[in-house]
Amino acid sequence: MSAAAPEGSPAGDLVVDWYASAARDLPWRQPGVDAWAVLVSEVMLQQTPVARVEPLWRQWLERWPTPADLAAAPTGEVIRAWGKLGYPRRALRLQAAAGAIAADHGNVVPSDVETLESLPGIGTYTARAVACFGYGQRQPVVDTNVRRVVARLVHGRAEPLPARAADLADITALAPADHDRAVRFSVAVMELGALVCVARTPRCGSCPVRTVCAWRLAGSPAHDGPPRKVQRFAGTDRQVRGRLLDVLRAATDPVPQVELDAAWADPVQRTRCLDSLLADGLVVQTDDDRFALPG
DNA sequence: TAGTCGTGGAT
DNA sequence: TATCCAAGACT
């Protein structure tokens, strides 16, 4: 038997056919969008809704059309351009990745998954997304949407299990045999999870695989595992860091300590968060003890 | 591996 | 109003 002849599945073909008519018209899916633009979109989309990413993505690529352009920018400008997308360390890592691409890869985004994964801020998901969406490779791409679709369609569960070791194998087994269709399948499953097989209220009535979905066939049983823990935000260091960075983003000049003090009442937490921002490289302290985004 | 890291729209 | 949750990575 040959080494890796993909077997394909009826469900995979149904999802690809559904995608042809139901896919959103997102700018990073346009023909001619290069791997750098895809990489930027994928990093911006980490934990961040599409609607908030779209305008920032356009501005970003207009300003920094290649990795070398971003690498050469003042880091403070990069952080400012990131705006309020959230998780601003992503902006730092994206610039660091751009620097590595410019310096070590001829300013061309690497096309192999292993090299991509070696770049800062690029993990299992993003590396495969770039290889697949940016370079047309047949790659299993597993994000939160895909995990949810597989949990329901294949495993008959309302929500994914915490363990994710088998995710890549699961989705690989589901992909169509044909190469080009398998490439489209990777984005199609994500789209199905984003539009139909959504977390809170799945629209099973308009799902292309409702007749073969293990969860539907089992009567759509409720989630029986441990409740997934919700991340609090109010009062956390994340909120405080956001407040502090907000002050610095809005300022054109370095700000004195007293302006940061106004952003959060608790001095212990405020100091801890400022220190962590300094440690991350999101903030720098000037010689006259004021604070600013990095030059 | 579980906790941490922003933000804001939807329900 | 409070909670959920969104194309994860890193430690």
Side-chain angles (χ1 to χ4, degrees), chain A residues 126-210:
Chain A
T126 304
R128 284 165 181 78
V130 170
C132 183
F133 310 152
Y135 287 111
Q137 291 176 29
R138 176 181 190 129
Q139 289 285 348
V141 179
V142 178
D143 73 331
T144 184
N145 292 304
V146 175
R147 283 200 301 280
R148 189 172 53 246
V149 170
V150 168
R152 291 170 179 164
L153 174 61
V154 178
H155 300 298
R157 306 181 53 84
E159 294 179 30
L161 293 168
R164 299 167 8 186
D167 285 344
L168 285 177
D170 283 344
I171 203 63
T172 299
L174 217 49
D178 177 76
H179 178 278
D180 291 342
R181 288 177 68 80
V183 173
R184 268 176 289 155
F185 173 74
S186 287
V187 67
V189 183
M190 287 178 56
E191 192 77 338
L192 186 67
L195 298 182
V196 175
C197 196
V198 296
R200 201 124 39 135
T201 314
R203 307 184 232 290
C204 298
S206 52
C207 179
V209 291
R210 63 187 177 281

Side-chain angles (χ1 to χ4, degrees), chain A residues 11-234:
Chain A
D13 278 312
L14 289 170
V15 174
V16 172
D17 290 340
W18 166 85
Y19 181 79
S21 62
R24 289 169 294 180
D25 185 21
L26 301 177
W28 42 85
R29 291 178 180 166
Q30 293 296 318
V33 171
D34 67 17
W36 167 241
V38 170
L39 172 53
V40 171
S41 78
E42 291 302 336
V43 173
M44 287 184 170
L45 285 163
Q46 292 168 2
Q47 299 288 283
T48 307
V50 164
R52 218 177 311 161
V53 166
E54 269 209 51
L56 265 291
W57 179 83
R58 296 179 189 281
Q59 297 167 24
W60 192 278
L61 287 159
E62 194 168 326
R63 188 167 183 183
W64 299 303
T66 78
D69 297 317
L70 180 64
T75 298
E77 285 308 300
V78 174
I79 295 167
R80 201 168 265 117
W82 195 256
K84 306 202 78 173
L85 277 185
Y87 295 141
R89 292 187 299 185
R90 288 183 295 168
L92 294 183
R93 291 175 183 148
L94 182 55
Q95 189 182 33
I101 293 167
D104 304 334
H105 302 286
N107 206 26
V108 176
V109 174
S111 59
D112 68 283
V113 168
E114 192 181 345
T115 307
L116 284 163
E117 279 185 320
S118 74
L119 297 170
I122 312 253
T124 305
Y125 162 77
T126 304
R128 284 165 181 78
V130 170
C132 183
F133 310 152
Y135 287 111
Q137 291 176 29
R138 176 181 190 129
Q139 289 285 348
V141 179
V142 178
D143 73 331
T144 184
N145 292 304
V146 175
R147 283 200 301 280
R148 189 172 53 246
V149 170
V150 168
R152 291 170 179 164
L153 174 61
V154 178
H155 300 298
R157 306 181 53 84
E159 294 179 30
L161 293 168
R164 299 167 8 186
D167 285 344
L168 285 177
D170 283 344
I171 203 63
T172 299
L174 217 49
D178 177 76
H179 178 278
D180 291 342
R181 288 177 68 80
V183 173
R184 268 176 289 155
F185 173 74
S186 287
V187 67
V189 183
M190 287 178 56
E191 192 77 338
L192 186 67
L195 298 182
V196 175
C197 196
V198 296
R200 201 124 39 135
T201 314
R203 307 184 232 290
C204 298
S206 52
C207 179
V209 291
R210 63 187 177 281
T211 60
V212 294
C213 174
W215 185 55
R216 279 289 271 181
L217 294 172
S220 306
H223 176 63
D224 63 351
R228 57 166 248 186
K229 48 194 67 170
V230 303
Q231 274 198 78
R232 304 262 174 252
F233 178 66

Side-chain angles (χ1 to χ4, degrees), chain A residues 194-280:
Chain A
L195 298 182
V196 175
C197 196
V198 296
R200 201 124 39 135
T201 314
R203 307 184 232 290
C204 298
S206 52
C207 179
V209 291
R210 63 187 177 281
T211 60
V212 294
C213 174
W215 185 55
R216 279 289 271 181
L217 294 172
S220 306
H223 176 63
D224 63 351
R228 57 166 248 186
K229 48 194 67 170
V230 303
Q231 274 198 78
R232 304 262 174 252
F233 178 66
T236 64
D237 285 4
R238 266 157 56 239
Q239 182 179 25
V240 179
R241 283 166 55 103
R243 288 272 186 90
L244 295 173
L245 207 56
D246 214 19
V247 171
L248 299 181
R249 265 194 305 258
T252 54
D253 297 306
V255 306
Q257 176 80 51
V258 62
E259 283 191 41
L260 295 178
D261 290 351
W264 195 258
D266 176 2
V268 173
Q269 189 178 22
R270 193 177 61 229
T271 300
R272 179 174 69 238
C273 289
L274 181 56
D275 286 345
S276 75
L277 288 169
L278 289 163
D280 285 343

